[in-house]
Amino acid sequence: MDGVPRVPEQRRPGSSAAAAEPGVPLRFAVLGPVRAWRGQEQLPTGSPQQRALLAALLLREGRTATAAELIDALWGEEPPSQALAAVRTYASRLRKVLDPGVLVSESGGYAVRGLAEGALDLAVAQDLAAEAEKARGSGDLCHARGVLDQALALWDGEVLAGVPGAYAEAQRVRLEEWRLQLLESRLDMDLEQGCHAEAVSELTALTAAHPLRERLRELLMLALYRSGRQAEALAVYADTRRLLADELGVDPRPDLKELQQRILQADPALAEPSAPVAEPTLVPVRPAQLPATVPDFTGRAAFVSELSDVLASAEGRVMAVSALAGIGGVGKTTLAVHVAHQARSAFPDGQLYVDLQGAGPRAADPETVLGSFLRALGTADSAIPDSLEERAALYRSVLDGRRVLVLLDNAKDAAQVRPLLPGMEGCAALVTSRVRMVDLAGAHLVDLDVMSPEEALSLFTKIVGEERVASEREAALDVVAACGFLPLAIRIAASRLAARRTWTVSVLAAKLADERRRLDELQAGDLAVKATFELGYGALEPAQARAFRLLGLPDGPDISLAAAAAVLNLPVEDTEDLLESLVDTSLLESAAPGRYRFHDLVRLYARACAARDERPPSERDAALSRLLDFYLATAATVYAIERPGDRLVDHRAPTEYPGSAFEDRHQARDWLYAEAICLLACVRQSTAPHHLRRAVDLLWTAIDLTESGANSKEYEATATAMRKAAFEAGDRRAEARALLTLANGHHISGRFALAEQEAADALRLAETAGDPLPTCWASNMLGVLALYQSRHDDGETHLSRAIESFRSCADRPGEASALCNLSRIHLAMGRTASAVTLAEQGTGMYDDMGNTLKGANGRYALGLALTQSGQLSQATECLEGALEVFRDSRQRLWEGMTLFRLAEVDLAARRPAQAAASAELALTVLRGIGGEWRRGNVLTVLGRALSGIGQTGRAQVCWREALEIFDSLGVPEAGQVRSLLNPLAVA
């Protein structure tokens, strides 16, 4: 790392073996105020001149400083007459404070010696910078970035703060320049790793603080261009050229000019992914997602060798393990997992795994899979873009320079797989599928057939035991032949025999023969699999068979232990015993501790068994009804914890089966997001008239999923389906509530006209059905939507009605919400004082109820009112408190909007650089959520902030984009943006 300030040293602090004994080690800081500690105790360092002496000695890193050097460092060219005596006095006082032997006299001068490793923050920073340089040289950018972040975090304000003298000032300049060099290096690596959006925010603030530093401008241009903001990148160059001409009378340096030309020419070498990787971790995330390999893996030696050789020489190649003719149970996954485990050492940066559910009715969406992969690789939810193309680009960028193995299990087709391939040299992918992927370019195809008789017998023997098989070898061969030499079939049959010590191999062979005769009309491809499942199912105990049948009914990709207990109507302990016994038979898989799933073919068979064997047939519906009850009761508990006092939990459809309890709101919220996919699948599956109301109420109680960004699309699609089901069933109550959830989804996505129509319909239907709660909330939403559309009188009417409706329902949180929204209406109408009062009332009500999450919404409204009333410090306090809650609660929409409001406060307080940074972060957080109207507002404020720091070219670009958005929406904000552009318009 160029520019690391390394003073020639004889003995640096921390390098001496003569550390002070006994006692707690000393620590010193110079990258901020000069301080000293013994353990956690801060030591007195005396007057400014005495601290200057200590700093001068520490900065010499163990070398001796002569008395003349120290006098010059403390007083420069005009020392006092008693300077030498003063130096000796300061040294004597420091000796009394520090450990014996630390400050030593030597050759007429002084030195600091014998400090422990890491005792001086500057020395630590130097070592970290050297480590980062080494890691970057070896290509480990993740580690290099993390280490540089650690080094930069050691700066604590102004270097040598409060220390007088020319020497201290020179050191301040030197160390600040080094800090900026480190920062530039880290930002450069951020861009190499794809962290473009976050870099824009940070670089915007840095260029404001250091306007003449061209390297920062160059990095800002590159970050903007790679974020898809070409016009702004070019505007930075124009702003820089104008600034340099005005301030210094020079042109930009050649590197900056060259970058401008490359941007103008759309140089492909600059076309890095436009999506960011947020919040890089100090320790790179190394996922280890491979399922456990089976201990009795048998045979397949040629395939293992072939695939292992290809993986060992992986240079971005893609390998597919394919099953010819689509036979299930042939051992594709087992082989792939075994090979992947053997190859783990060749992929030290991690292994990713996903079941793509390609053989089932709902194959996994590549967009969703990429989101889970990016999270596993350390990407924050707020940094994951919305579209499949952007996610795939970010995924490849995150993997660049890393060696990661990706196991894509059970793929539907090549189209599903392509976006999930790493595509980077050093990474590799293993793909299993029921189809032969001849259209997967560059794939190494392997056709996996059934086992040979010898391999099949070996597997059977490993499970059953050598002693039992040896005496009945012919019967064992009959068994594996009856299983069609399919590994899954053999494993199930052998597991049943191993569990029954009274059976002989011949007994099992006879049973298998019977099973095959019953299925002799089936096609050959399905024969072995279904016969195997029939055998395994037929050998189950009654309780196991019932569990097997009923657990195949829910649509979710897997199921938690608690949810399974609801399906079976059993205690959790008994359920776990049953499920683990099914895992032992290979009829069920343990996806993770406390979670279970079926192989897709086994699930289909389980459902067929339920349709055929479950008695009475109504038990199938009862099982799904209990699951719906469980989800609704548990989601209601989460809702009540997050929103104490809210009446929705009292106005939901009743449930008979209980839900789970939680120790705190964090545990409750974690449950909601962990169960999101399964919960929404349960809602979609519950369209029968007698389930419909509970399903819609479950959707309403899980409303937090809409505002997180992670589940917004799935939630909205589910709400659409439930609205349709309720309409077809003629259930006006359910339809009104479904419409309300759908309106909320449109509101979150910025589709205000659609949201208003859905909310108005919900209000009408709720009134017809005599359902008071959606009547309240629909009025509340109509008021908010009127605010967004600048119909303030309508908004006041709707919200006044909402307040009265909430009061009549004794719904204090609802009343508080309507008060806070009415505050915003008053604010828009210029009634600032009443706006503050209303927001204070609403926030106070939330606080009285201990409603932390909604209290943050109250503080958001109060922060807006305080900003407009000029109480900026109080506004900042309110908004920062709200921001902390929104981040903790995974409310991406409100996190982004609060950052936007903080930018407005910073502008009002004349802190344009800080405003620009906050607005840039808001754009990043709101990526893919919130809609274009909100984006236009953020761009408007960002332009004002950029104008305030002299980046007028970028400001114009932001305003033009905002104007285009507002014009397309036909909203009055367009006029405000035109007024901003007009004074700067080019004739």
Side-chain angles (χ1 to χ4, degrees), residues 671-857:
W671 177 89
L672 179 64
Y673 287 99
E675 291 291 338
I677 296 175
C678 293
L679 183 152
L680 293 174
C682 180
V683 172
R684 287 192 299 269
Q685 197 174 8
S686 304
T687 55
H690 56 293
H691 294 323
L692 193 56
R693 291 193 175 188
R694 283 176 293 153
V696 170
D697 285 353
L698 171 56
L699 192 62
W700 192 354
T701 55
I703 199 167
D704 283 347
L705 296 177
T706 62
E707 296 176 1
S708 71
N711 305 102
S712 301
K713 285 186 175 180
E714 296 89 341
Y715 187 97
E716 191 174 319
T718 304
T720 301
M722 299 314 293
R723 182 264 178 101
K724 180 174 183 288
F727 174 78
E728 291 174 349
D731 189 332
R732 298 294 174 257
R733 177 187 182 278
E735 186 180 358
R737 293 184 174 216
L739 277 166
L740 195 59
T741 63
L742 188 56
N744 189 68
H746 290 318
H747 164 229
I748 298 301
S749 300
R751 297 187 293 271
F752 301 137
L754 276 174
E756 185 174 29
Q757 182 60 55
E758 306 285 14
D761 288 347
L763 178 60
R764 174 179 53 81
L765 287 170
E767 288 177 336
T768 301
D771 191 4
L773 209 59
T775 301
C776 302
W777 283 106
S779 297
N780 192 42
M781 183 174 293
L782 286 168
V784 173
L785 294 167
L787 167 67
Y788 292 159
Q789 298 173 78
S790 300
R791 293 185 287 104
H792 304 138
D793 290 337
D794 288 347
E796 185 170 23
T797 299
H798 286 303
L799 289 169
S800 297
R801 179 182 178 184
I803 291 170
E804 293 303 318
S805 298
F806 280 124
R807 284 173 178 165
S808 67
C809 291
D811 190 330
R812 297 188 71 236
E815 180 186 347
S817 174
L819 285 169
C820 291
N821 290 329
L822 185 58
S823 163
R824 297 182 60 185
I825 291 283
H826 281 211
L827 202 61
M829 299 170 78
R831 295 152 63 182
T832 306
S834 63
V836 172
T837 300
L838 287 167
E840 288 176 339
Q841 288 176 0
T843 304
M845 291 172 67
Y846 283 136
D847 290 346
D848 289 344
M849 291 178 284
N851 198 325
T852 303
L853 176 58
K854 298 306 292 181
N857 288 110

Side-chain angles (χ1 to χ4, degrees), residues 127-400:
D127 290 341
L128 289 170
E131 183 182 345
E133 183 177 19
K134 182 179 179 181
R136 187 176 189 181
S138 66
D140 191 352
L141 295 185
C142 287
H143 183 62
R145 286 165 62 203
V147 169
L148 271 187
D149 276 332
Q150 292 181 61
L152 290 164
L154 293 171
W155 268 261
D156 185 16
E158 184 184 42
V159 173
L160 305 177
V163 174
Y167 174 78
E169 181 58 31
Q171 293 301 312
R172 270 192 286 273
V173 172
R174 176 178 73 91
L175 291 173
E176 174 61 14
E177 172 63 25
W178 182 47
R179 185 186 74 85
L180 289 172
Q181 289 175 7
L182 295 181
L183 196 52
E184 288 170 350
S185 295
R186 199 262 293 155
L187 286 162
D188 191 34
M189 286 186 282
D190 286 350
L191 297 188
E192 288 185 57
Q193 289 286 85
C195 301
H196 308 134
E198 285 69 25
V200 170
S201 175
E202 190 171 1
L203 283 163
T204 297
L206 285 168
T207 52
H210 307 279
L212 299 177
R213 198 171 184 93
E214 291 183 68
R215 176 56 178 158
L216 290 175
R217 299 273 182 153
E218 181 181 349
L219 290 170
L220 177 57
M221 288 175 64
L222 190 58
L224 286 166
Y225 180 73
R226 289 180 177 175
S227 298
R229 298 159 71 177
Q230 179 181 0
E232 280 187 74
L234 293 171
V236 170
Y237 179 81
D239 289 337
T240 304
R241 183 177 60 181
R242 182 172 55 252
L243 177 68
L244 291 174
D246 291 346
E247 295 290 329
L248 303 177
V250 298
D251 289 330
R253 58 190 178 89
D255 288 351
L256 209 59
K257 293 180 180 179
E258 180 185 355
L259 179 58
Q260 182 220 21
Q261 290 302 310
R262 293 176 69 191
I263 291 174
L264 285 169
Q265 297 162 9
D267 185 346
L270 293 179
E272 296 294 324
S274 63
V277 178
E279 302 177 20
T281 52
L282 297 182
V283 179
V285 177
R286 293 180 172 85
Q289 296 184 342
L290 294 178
T293 187
V294 294
D296 49 19
F297 182 85
T298 302
R300 310 296 198 188
F303 291 117
V304 171
S305 176
E306 178 183 353
L307 290 169
S308 297
D309 289 345
V310 176
L311 285 179
S313 60
E315 295 180 356
R317 300 183 65 183
V318 180
M319 290 133 286
V321 180
S322 301
L324 187 62
I327 297 176
V330 78
K332 303 180 297 296
T333 298
T334 301
L335 173 61
V337 170
H338 180 77
V339 170
H341 274 283
Q342 286 201 334
R344 283 185 64 181
S345 60
F347 300 93
D349 295 316
Q351 305 85 39
L352 296 167
Y353 171 83
V354 65
D355 179 359
L356 294 173
Q357 304 175 53
R362 295 176 61 90
D365 178 10
E367 183 178 329
T368 302
V369 174
L370 284 169
S372 66
F373 276 1
L374 288 167
R375 292 182 191 96
L377 290 164
T379 308
D381 280 345
S382 61
I384 297 175
D386 196 41
S387 71
L388 172 62
E389 292 75 14
E390 285 185 310
R391 288 187 178 192
L394 174 56
Y395 171 60
R396 293 190 296 272
S397 178
V398 172
L399 291 179
D400 188 21

